[in-house]
Amino acid sequence: MLAALAASLALLLVGATGAQAKVVELTGTTTFTPSSEATQFLAKHGVTVAPTGEATAQDGSFAFPIAAGFGNPRTYNGLLAHKGGLQFTKGDRSAVLQRFVAVRIRGAGAVLLAQIPGLKGGCGHLRQALHAFALEHPAVGKRIRQVARNHPKATRHLLRAVWNYCKGGRVIVLARLTNLSKEATYNSAVLKADLKLSGQAARLVNKIAGEHAVNPGAPLGSAESNVTVVG
């Protein structure tokens, strides 16, 4: 399912057609290192964090295998879909964030999506978010619609993949990706970014906490993706 989502979104999000629609398949691992502010916040509120699924923990960082990745080899616009997740536990309560998808769209910046299994909202919530995105970025929305008209089969594939992704729980914008950098070699690259808590995620945290605990833009940490071109 993640591969289908990645393949379909790559075609539409890179915003290219014809000879420009050159995307490459990527594989690898992304390592996330929490910021000191995030670590202190969790400790203050008695919350522990553990990897789930195929994610692993080492020396205070968490590694997530890339399930599928596609992007423009020059700009790396596109996305990286990951396996595994993180489980947050406080006492006898716990919550999971999983299926992290990093998306970089030309002209609209980069975000990290996450699925919260069991949380109400699902596909209806994602549909509203996509509609809001199109209103905020009309040029990008127009480009995506043009590509969708030129590639109806891929568009149908996209809709099926997104449905499979969001029906298992609410998909949220977890973070904005800033300070993006890229070090490329012949067939691989190291992609780096800082993660800032999104307004959507901040509201969710404050609702769960029952108080105003965090603000949008709070530093979550840094991510480093070591990616390799497949084939």
Side-chain angles (χ1 to χ4, degrees), residues 10-25:
L11 176 63
L12 299 181
L13 295 183
V14 171
T17 59
Q20 292 181 325
K22 181 181 179 181
V23 296
V24 294
E25 184 179 359

Side-chain angles (χ1 to χ4, degrees), residues 6 9 11 17 31 34-35 44 55 57 64 111 114 124 126 128 162 165 178 197-198 202 207 219 221 226 229:
L9 283 178
L11 176 63
T17 59
T31 300
S35 67
K44 176 182 177 181
F64 304 90
V111 298
L126 181 58
Q128 293 174 1
V162 171
Y165 181 48
T178 64
L197 189 70
S198 73
K207 182 177 181 179
N226 289 272
V229 176

